[in-house]
Amino acid sequence: MGEISIETLKGEINRLKKEKNAVILAHYYNRPEIQDICDYLGDSLGLSQEAGRTDAKIILFCGVNFMAETASIISPDKKVIVPDNRAGCSLAESINGDDICKWREQNPEGVVVSYVNTTAETKAFSDICCTSANALKVVESIPEGKKILFVPDKNLGAYIKLKTGRDIDLWEGDCCVHERFDTKTVMEMVKNYPMADILIHPESNCSGDPAIHKLPQAYFYSTSGMLSHVKNSSKNQFVIITEMEIIHQLKKENPNREFIPAGSRALCGQMKKNTLEKVLLALQNEAPEIRVPDELRERAWLPIKRMLEVK
Ligand code: 13P
Ligand code: SF4
């Protein structure tokens, strides 16, 4: 594709979207220009719910592959396409179905809770899924006394273990972006910005540290939770401990407030594979398509359905 202006790209994307009855769903870690053009911007839970709600024929999912797979599992009658089908995720790649089977053999009574950042195959071997927005509720929905095998994010798992006091074994996976947010990084931000609220994604390395939970200005949220916190807060300054592209949306909604990213350039390279040019190409070609084979879909749907039913 030759040099096309952003405005021409946007115009063509909007035209094709209408012509093909397509909807664009995007995660907050996308480039700003994708956040601005999408029909629905959300966290993993919101995006899954929207994939189930939409009556569009085509879902163009701007996220990473596990998100598009989840949309295809939830809405098998829709065509799910992505800008770049090489957009992976370090968490999703840290575990597979075989790993779960082996872990279950050692813990036959264990309930496998899998973070939604997993492949369809991993989901198919799990009992229930969760996202960062509903992880506490999902774990609390499991009968007391049951052992929980939490996969794949050790940091989110440590956070839930600390908050619920439940018997939870953790898989050793992590997100390469959030792993850098350790206790030292957070403490430095607290020292440098004493008036700010510190908003932390539970995938962060510090999430299981009781010292961080004792800080009165520290709050743990999914990406959407961070936006709601700022909306309802009277503070003017916020330290953002997650992938920093979310600051585009935070600033858009709160132009007079200050948002300070933690670390230097905390960006998810996988999400950045999505570009406006690829969004247009995907709409033109109705490809690349992400489709979960029927048999796998039926098995992977169950733990997602159980998650969506948790109130
Ligand atoms: P949420 O947007 O659900 O908080 O998830 C963050 C994330 O890392 C998605 O990959
Ligand atoms: Fe995966 Fe981390 Fe990127 Fe989220 S930020 S998609 S968990 S690699």
Side-chain angles (χ1 to χ4, degrees):
M1 199 183 289
E3 267 301 293
I4 310 177
S5 76
I6 287 215
E7 286 320 307
T8 312
L9 273 173
K10 284 184 180 171
E12 196 48 17
I13 289 169
N14 280 326
R15 189 188 68 76
L16 276 175
K17 231 171 51 179
K18 277 199 204 103
E19 186 185 299
K20 300 200 172 197
N21 187 12
V23 69
I24 301 183
L25 311 186
H27 188 269
Y28 296 110
Y29 298 163
N30 273 281
R31 296 167 189 273
E33 58 274 22
I34 291 183
Q35 295 189 32
D36 291 345
I37 200 162
C38 71
D39 300 292
Y40 179 89
L41 185 64
D43 69 359
S44 307
L45 181 61
L47 287 162
S48 302
Q49 289 164 334
E50 192 58 25
R53 255 191 314 255
T54 182
D55 47 22
K57 232 176 90 206
I58 297 176
I59 297 176
L60 171 47
F61 208 118
C62 299
V64 291
N65 280 348
F66 78 80
M67 294 181 175
E69 269 190 355
T70 307
S72 163
I73 294 166
I74 293 175
S75 277
D77 54 325
K78 309 267 186 305
K79 186 169 191 180
V80 179
I81 55 173
V82 293
D84 190 326
N85 60 3
R86 294 163 306 168
C89 167
S90 61
L91 272 171
E93 280 143 32
S94 71
I95 189 159
N96 61 31
D98 265 358
D99 294 326
I100 296 194
C101 289
K102 283 184 197 135
W103 215 18
R104 276 194 194 274
E105 274 168 27
Q106 293 151 21
N107 300 276
E109 299 297 314
V111 177
V112 177
V113 179
S114 73
Y115 190 29
V116 76
N117 297 31
T118 45
T119 61
E121 183 196 276
T122 300
K123 288 183 178 76
F125 285 89
S126 307
D127 293 306
I128 187 164
C129 289
C130 73
T131 73
S132 58
N134 63 15
L136 289 175
K137 275 191 187 162
V138 164
V139 165
E140 278 157 5
S141 77
I142 297 166
E144 283 284 343
K146 282 265 184 202
K147 183 179 197 80
I148 292 166
L149 307 176
F150 190 84
V151 305
D153 186 13
K154 65 176 167 43
N155 297 317
L156 176 63
Y159 166 79
I160 302 167
K161 193 169 171 159
L162 186 74
K163 296 293 275 184
T164 61
R166 299 289 296 263
D167 180 11
I168 304 180
D169 280 1
L170 308 174
W171 189 256
E172 271 294 313
D174 61 55
C175 157
C176 51
V177 180
H178 290 84
E179 183 60 8
R180 70 178 77 180
F181 300 134
D182 57 8
T183 297
K184 188 167 160 270
T185 309
V186 176
M187 290 304 188
E188 261 168 34
M189 297 307 272
V190 170
K191 197 170 116 225
N192 294 341
Y193 302 96
M195 302 306 286
D197 276 356
I198 315 283
L199 309 186
I200 307 170
H201 196 283
E203 279 176 25
S204 304
N205 176 291
C206 63
S207 299
D209 185 345
I212 300 292
H213 288 255
K214 282 198 193 106
L215 296 169
Q217 65 273 60
Y219 300 88
F220 287 85
Y221 289 119
S222 75
T223 48
S224 289
M226 291 186 186
L227 280 134
S228 309
H229 176 96
V230 173
K231 197 171 168 188
N232 298 318
S233 166
S234 55
K235 289 272 183 84
N236 280 319
Q237 201 181 47
F238 303 87
V239 170
I240 303 302
I241 303 199
T242 190
E243 212 270 11
M244 58 187 281
E245 214 80 85
I246 191 179
I247 293 180
H248 174 69
Q249 194 58 26
L250 284 162
K251 274 195 185 144
K252 230 169 126 177
E253 291 184 16
N254 309 276
N256 300 321
R257 295 174 179 202
E258 190 188 359
F259 301 99
I260 301 131
S264 58
R265 297 187 56 75
L267 295 167
C268 173
Q270 301 300 322
M271 291 272 182
K272 299 322 165 218
K273 287 181 179 164
N274 301 327
T275 62
L276 268 193
E277 286 82 357
K278 290 184 199 169
V279 167
L280 176 56
L281 274 175
L283 276 174
Q284 284 170 336
N285 301 331
E286 296 188 23
E289 184 176 0
I290 300 285
R291 185 155 189 90
V292 178
D294 286 343
E295 202 190 322
L296 179 59
R297 187 199 89 81
E298 273 164 36
R299 291 181 55 199
W301 167 233
L302 253 176
I304 296 175
K305 184 169 165 276
R306 288 192 189 118
M307 167 185 89
L308 294 173
E309 281 168 0
V310 170
K311 292 285 167 255

